[in-house]
Amino acid sequence: GAGVSQSPRYKVAKRGQDVALRCDPISGHVSLFWYQQALGQGPEFLTYFQNEAQLDKSGLPSDRFFAERPEGSVSTLKIQRTQQEDSAVYLCASKKSRDRGETQYFGPGTRLLVL
Amino acid sequence: AQSVTQLDSQVPVFEEAPVELRCNYSSSVSVYLFWYVQYPNQGLQLLLKYLSGSTLVKGINGFEAEFNKSQTSFHLRKPSVHISDTAEYFCAVTGGSGTYKYIFGTGTRLKVLA
């Protein structure tokens, strides 16, 4: 079956532009995560959805970052007024249930470069 | 707060030699531990996980890890590596009620030499 997909795969934005990153999780997966991975670093948690409910957004770096999952499937991470420090790979992951031991399946990521 | 430390940023090893990638965690609660592998231009893929029970966990591609609660470690091992094992390896932890976060280490780049 299809895995987690993300689009676009690459995005170049000028400083100050707004961007929207899309995640298509595996069909039927309840849990969805967004991570930010800076160059040479591990993924850092941004936010977590259980179906359409955003249960944890404590990792979002500022109020310029906003995520939604309105119908409990596709999710969008929006970054307003992008800054150079937002340059990173943004990873999406989904898992079948809310069980913490359940395996997360990761998408290939969106590489964002802010100039 | 939970944290994960991967002390080795890079590990070079010759093909067919054994390897150990180190991971230490800190947590005041029971934890679940994971190892992921990231090949170039690909997403993270689960190698293995420890949830409970036997402290020796076997994963895919011949990897295994041992959970050591007293040393708060979860080191990854493989007795004989292949060129194709060249990748970035990440250790991660989660646990405790009321949290959904997974905390990842900074990664270890395994370079297998011919």
Side-chain angles (χ1 to χ4, degrees), chain A residues 1 23 31 47 49 53 71 76 84 86 96 98-99 113 115:
Chain A
C23 172
S31 295
T47 188
F49 288 87
E71 296 177 359
T76 305
Q84 285 186 323
D86 300 335
K96 192 174 183 179
R98 59 183 184 181
D99 182 346
L113 177 62
L115 301 176

Side-chain angles (χ1 to χ4, degrees), chain A residues 29-51:
Chain A
H29 276 199
V30 165
S31 295
L32 186 145
F33 299 81
W34 283 100
Y35 294 89
Q36 181 189 60
Q37 186 176 19
L39 192 64
Q41 300 296 314
E44 285 206 27
F45 171 86
L46 293 178
T47 188
Y48 167 68
F49 288 87
Q50 198 172 104
N51 296 306

Side-chain angles (χ1 to χ4, degrees), chain B residues 18-89:
Chain B
V19 70
E20 179 179 82
L21 306 184
R22 296 181 294 167
C23 172
N24 287 87
Y25 69 93
S26 68
S27 177
S28 58
V29 298
S30 296
V31 295
Y32 295 160
L33 293 154
F34 306 80
W35 274 100
Y36 284 86
V37 60
Q38 187 174 35
Y39 298 104
N41 298 316
Q42 294 188 29
L44 279 78
Q45 178 184 0
L46 181 72
L47 275 177
L48 49 78
K49 58 184 175 182
Y50 171 78
L51 305 183
S52 65
S54 173
T55 57
L56 183 63
V57 180
K58 293 190 183 296
I60 63 170
N61 300 341
F63 284 93
E64 64 181 30
E66 183 148 23
F67 171 62
N68 188 319
K69 189 174 181 179
S70 62
Q71 298 190 6
T72 59
S73 67
F74 190 55
H75 301 333
L76 181 70
R77 294 191 287 259
K78 186 169 183 178
S80 175
V81 295
H82 303 291
I83 295 287
S84 59
D85 293 323
T86 294
E88 189 91 24
Y89 292 80

